[in-house]
Amino acid sequence: RKAEAWFDPEGFFLAEKEGRLVGFHWTKVHAAERLGEVYVLGVSPDAQGGGLGRSLTTIGLRHLAGRGLPTAMLYVDADNKAAVSVYERLGFVTYETDLMYRTET
């Protein structure tokens, strides 16, 4: 993805603890729509529950706001209750819900 035209290394944030990567946040800009995106957020399982996801998301949102983007979006699996909780506490609300169906053949 780093080769994509939308990739901006200034919107890619890493969190380290004692020299070990424990989290990251990768933002994306949809310039034509003037829309920022929480593209990918990840926190190591042993670092979860301490507010790192919230901190990384906030850093990314500040970066996007600094680029003049008035709105940000993200996609999250509704079953990921921890992530949904973080995003809702940050002010995100459900805009659209997608469903996926599957059958065994």
Side-chain angles (χ1 to χ4, degrees):
R1 302 263 190 252
K2 290 181 358 182
E4 298 290 337
W6 53 260
F7 177 71
D8 176 7
E10 292 183 15
F12 186 67
F13 306 94
L14 301 174
E16 293 183 5
K17 182 178 182 181
E18 299 172 357
R20 188 175 61 84
L21 181 66
V22 293
F24 62 92
H25 181 193
W26 191 350
T27 64
K28 185 175 181 182
V29 173
H30 301 269
E33 296 88 357
R34 296 197 61 228
L35 178 66
E37 181 177 346
V38 173
Y39 183 59
V40 183
L41 178 72
V43 175
S44 175
D46 61 329
Q48 292 177 352
L52 182 57
R54 178 184 178 87
S55 294
L56 284 167
T57 304
T58 300
I59 289 167
L61 293 173
R62 285 183 183 150
H63 165 75
L64 294 169
R67 303 265 325 250
L69 301 169
T71 306
M73 60 166 258
L74 60 88
Y75 296 94
V76 65
D77 186 335
D79 289 341
N80 187 343
K81 305 252 185 251
V84 170
S85 177
V86 167
Y87 298 135
E88 286 177 341
R89 285 194 311 267
L90 287 169
F92 284 88
V93 295
T94 301
Y95 177 78
E96 184 175 295
T97 302
D98 293 327
L99 296 174
M100 182 173 75
Y101 294 93
R102 174 178 148 174
T103 185
E104 298 296 323
T105 55

